[in-house]
Amino acid sequence: MDASEHQIQKLEAQLNHAKTREERINIASSLGQIHASQENYVEAIKSYAQILSYASHSERAALLSNIAVLHRRNGNYKEALRAYNHALEILRNDLKEPTNKQNIGMKFQLFTTLQNMVTIHRRLREFDASFEVYNEMLVLLKGILKDIENNDISNLQIREVHSNACYALARLHNSIGSVYSCCGQTDEAFWHYLESASVFKMIYSAEIGKEQHGGGHHQTNDVRRGDMAEPLSNLGKIHLSRGELIEAMNAWTEALHIQQEVFGPDSPIVVNTLSNIAVVQQQMGHLNDALFSHKEILKLRSQILENGHPDIANTLNNIGNIRLCQSQFDGALELYSKALIIVKNAFDNQHPLVAGTLHNIACVYYRQGRYNDALSNFEKAFDILNAVHGENHVEVGEMHLYLGKIEQKLGRPDEAMKHYIRAMRIFETNNLGENHPSVKVTIHSIDAMNDDDNNDELSSQGTDTGRGNYYDGNDVSLGDSQSTDVSDLALLDRIVESVGAAVPQSSKPMPPSRPSARNSEQQQQQRTSNNSPKSSGSTQSKSAAAAPRRIRPHIRVNSLGSQSILSLISDGENDGEGLKNDRTVMVFIDKLKAQEATLGISHPDSAQTLVDVGDIFFERGSNNKSIKIYQEALLLQRGELGNDHVDVAGTVSKLADVYLKKGFYEQALESYREALDMYRKLGLDENHPNVKRMMQSIDETLDEEQRSF
C-alpha cells in the first residue's frame, strides 16, 4: 500500500466519524483532491457529491463547477454540461435577490462558470449553443462595468476590478470573433476582433498612465500586452482575405511590435508574424522584399527549429511561390519538392499540408504546359482533401474547379463539365454567393467551354502568389501556387474547416449591421458536413485514420553530437565549460557520449537520453533549452522509429508541456493533439492513461487560453 492509498483510507475513516458539518466538508474535499490528482475522477466526483448533501446554498454552485471540471476531464461532456447548468441556475437565482443585484463578485463567478461551459460547447463544435452563452457573457460584463462606474473609480481596489472586467471583455470579443471565423462569417468576426483590439488599447493606455504616475511595472501587464497582439493578428488575416493589403500590413506590423517587446525578437510567435508580413509584401508585388524576408525567416526557423519541422517547409513553399511568380519554374519545383519531403515526414500522407504542397507542384507543371503531370498531382491533392474534409467541403469544390480546368486543357470537355457542375453544387451547399471568387470563376469557365480562343483565364485572375498563414481558398488561379506557410498548424485547421460553414444567427452576438439569416435547411446540411472535430496537429477523417500504417524507410539524420548538445544547452559559451560543475547534467552527457561511441548518436537510446536531459531543464524552468533538446530528440526518434511510435508520442507531449508553460497555447494544443492522434493510431483505447492525459491536457490548455483573470 503506497502513501496515497494509506492517506485515502485514513481520510475515509475520519469521514465516517466526523461530527460537524465543517469536518465532513474538509475531509471529503481532501479526498476529492487526492482522487483527482491520481486521475481517478469517478471517485473524486463521488467525494464532492457527498459534500453537496450538506453544503450550504452558497457553496453548491462552486461544488457543482468542480464536479463539472472532473466530468469534463473524464471525457463525460454531457454530465459536465449538466453540472454547469445546475451551478448556473443557482447563481442566476441568487443574483435575482435584491441584496445581490450589485454583487460584483457573484457576477464574476457567474461569468467564470459560463466561460468554462462555453469551452465544452466549442470543443463539441456546438456553435449555436456557444453563441447563446457568449451573449449572456457580454450582457453580464457590460452590467459589471456599469456597476463599477457607479462606485468610486479612484479607489485602488475598484480600479483593479474595472481593469479585470475590461480585460475579460477584450478576451471575450476575440473569442467570439474566432468562433465566427470558424463559421466562415468574416464580417462578424472582423467586428469583434476590432472591438477586442480597441478595448486592449484602452487597457494598455491606462496601464501606461499608472506606471508613469509611480504605479510600477507588473508582469501581468506584459501578459495583457501580449494578448493584445492576438486580435490584431486576426484582423490582419481578414484584411488579407479581403485583398486589403495595406490594412493587413498595418495590423501585422502593430502586432509585431507588441510581440517583439513582450516575447523577444527570436520568439516563434514573432517569426510567424514576420512570415505573414512577407506574404503581404509578396501580394503587393514587392517580390524582392518578400524574397529577402522569407530567406531571413528561413534562417531564423532553421536556428530555432529542428531540420524536419513543418514551419521550414512552409517557408520553402513561400519562397517557391515567389520563384513561380518570377517564372523560375525549376527553382520553384526544387523548393516545393523539399517542402513535400518535410511535410510527408512530419505527418502522414493524409494531411492538408501535404495536399497544399502537391497543389503547388501541380501549379508549376500547369504553367509549363505539362498538363498530365499537373493532373496527377492535383488528383493526389484532391484525394487527400476529400478524405480529410469530406466530399462537400469548399476545399474539395476548389479542387474540382482545378481538375475541370486541366481536363479542359487536355481536350476533354465532358470531364471538365462534370467537375465544374460538381464544384457549383458544393459551393451552393456551402452558401457561397454569386460574388464569391470561386463561384465567379466556375461560371466563367462553364460559359467559356465552347470558346476555341479561350485564354488561360484562371492563370490570369491575379498575381498574388502566396497566401501565407491565411490562405482561404478564395483565389483559384492556377498561375499561382497555394502557400502552406502555417507556422501555427492549429490555425490552418481552423481556416480549412471554416470556409463556408453556416450556423443559425438568431442567437449570435451581432455587430450593428447584421446580415440576413440563411436558409435553415442549408444550415443543417452545412453543419452535417462540417461539424466533425479535427485535431489541430494532424487533421484526419475516420477513413484516413483507418488507412494502413505507412512503413517508414530508415532515414539518416544529421544529428548533433554530445559535444554539440553540451554547447547547445550552455548557450554556446566555451563549449559547455560552464556546465562541467553541473553533476546532474554531466551524468547524462557522459552517458550520451558512451552511447554515441557504441550505438551511434542516431540510436533510439541516445534519443531517450536527450529526452532525460530535456526533462532536467524543464524541471528547472529552463524552457528554451528544454525545447531545443526535445526537438533534437524528436528528430532522432522520427528518423529511426517513424511517426507512429509510443516514444515519439511521449516526446511530442513533453514538448507540448513546455509550450503550455511558456504560454504558447496554440503550439501546445497542436502538439497535444498530435500526440493524442499517435496514441490512438497505436491502438490505445480512450481509457488508457496516456490518452486520458492528452485529453486532460487539451482541456487544461483550453482553460488557460480562455482564462480572463
Side-chain angles (χ1 to χ4, degrees), residues 181-198:
S181 181
C182 284
C183 297
Q185 300 189 33
T186 55
D187 288 345
E188 294 88 339
F190 183 85
W191 186 85
H192 283 286
Y193 290 146
L194 206 58
E195 286 292 297
S196 176
S198 176

Side-chain angles (χ1 to χ4, degrees), residues 233-392:
S233 186
N234 289 332
L235 286 169
K237 177 192 89 170
I238 295 179
H239 281 307
L240 182 61
S241 71
R242 293 172 172 176
E244 299 165 353
L245 301 182
I246 294 175
E247 291 83 355
M249 178 70 80
N250 291 340
W252 271 320
T253 301
E254 189 175 356
L256 178 67
H257 291 157
I258 295 168
Q259 291 165 343
Q260 288 176 327
E261 178 185 325
V262 175
F263 303 114
D266 296 330
S267 166
I269 295 176
V270 171
V271 178
N272 294 347
T273 304
L274 285 170
S275 181
N276 296 334
I277 291 172
V279 169
V280 178
Q281 290 175 325
Q282 194 171 325
Q283 293 199 22
M284 284 178 165
H286 304 157
L287 298 185
N288 290 332
D289 292 339
L291 183 61
F292 177 81
S293 297
H294 283 309
K295 286 183 176 179
E296 290 299 307
I297 290 162
L298 185 61
K299 289 180 185 177
L300 286 170
R301 285 180 167 167
S302 298
Q303 291 170 3
I304 64 178
L305 301 173
E306 63 197 42
N307 289 335
H309 196 283
D311 285 0
I312 294 176
N314 296 333
T315 307
L316 291 171
N317 268 306
N318 278 330
I319 297 174
N321 292 343
I322 297 176
R323 296 301 187 200
L324 179 60
C325 186
Q326 296 171 333
S327 298
Q328 298 178 17
F329 301 130
D330 291 341
L333 192 58
E334 180 182 357
L335 290 161
Y336 293 148
S337 298
K338 289 179 180 178
L340 185 62
I341 292 171
I342 292 174
V343 294
K344 281 188 172 181
N345 287 336
F347 308 104
D348 58 27
N349 283 326
Q350 299 290 318
H351 194 279
L353 287 180
V354 178
T357 309
L358 287 168
H359 173 281
N360 292 350
I361 292 170
C363 287
V364 177
Y365 291 139
Y366 185 90
R367 291 281 297 276
Q368 290 178 319
R370 297 165 60 181
Y371 299 123
N372 284 317
D373 291 332
L375 180 63
S376 174
N377 281 275
F378 272 127
E379 285 176 338
K380 291 175 184 176
F382 173 85
D383 290 341
I384 294 171
L385 293 175
N386 195 52
V388 171
H389 300 307
E391 61 182 13
N392 287 321

Side-chain angles (χ1 to χ4, degrees), residues 139 146 161 228 337 411 448 563 579:
V139 172
K146 187 175 180 180
V161 173
M228 180 178 169
S337 298
Q563 189 60 38
L579 285 172

Side-chain angles (χ1 to χ4, degrees), residues 493-651:
D493 285 335
R494 288 204 302 273
I495 295 164
V496 171
E497 290 169 13
S498 71
V499 180
V503 295
Q505 297 193 10
S506 59
S507 62
K508 298 176 185 178
M510 297 299 300
S513 56
R514 170 176 172 168
S516 60
R518 292 171 173 165
N519 180 277
S520 59
E521 181 179 350
Q522 290 176 322
Q523 292 163 357
Q524 184 58 42
Q525 289 174 345
Q526 185 55 30
R527 285 195 297 273
T528 302
S529 64
N530 284 283
N531 276 5
S532 57
K534 296 178 175 63
S535 295
S536 163
S538 54
T539 308
Q540 290 188 357
S541 66
K542 291 183 179 179
S543 61
R549 176 177 171 181
R550 177 166 61 94
I551 304 300
R552 182 191 181 99
H554 176 79
I555 299 173
R556 183 177 299 278
V557 293
N558 295 321
S559 178
L560 300 175
S562 55
Q563 189 60 38
S564 298
I565 291 293
L566 190 60
S567 178
L568 178 73
I569 59 182
S570 61
D571 299 320
E573 297 177 359
N574 301 322
D575 293 326
E577 287 295 328
L579 285 172
K580 293 295 175 68
N581 295 325
D582 191 332
R583 297 187 62 184
T584 304
V585 172
M586 290 309 300
V587 165
F588 286 97
I589 294 296
D590 291 341
K591 179 181 177 182
L592 185 62
K593 288 178 180 178
Q595 290 170 329
E596 186 178 350
T598 57
L599 303 174
I601 189 59
S602 298
H603 195 277
D605 288 352
S606 303
Q608 185 55 52
T609 302
L610 278 177
V611 173
D612 294 336
V613 176
D615 291 344
I616 293 172
F617 284 104
F618 177 69
E619 292 298 328
R620 292 176 177 178
S622 300
N623 297 323
N624 291 334
K625 290 181 181 179
S626 59
I627 286 175
K628 292 177 183 178
I629 297 167
Y630 287 146
Q631 287 176 339
E632 178 64 20
L634 199 55
L635 181 62
L636 292 177
Q637 291 173 327
R638 281 181 162 144
E640 294 296 314
L641 305 172
N643 278 332
D644 300 339
H645 193 281
V646 67
D647 290 351
V648 177
T651 307

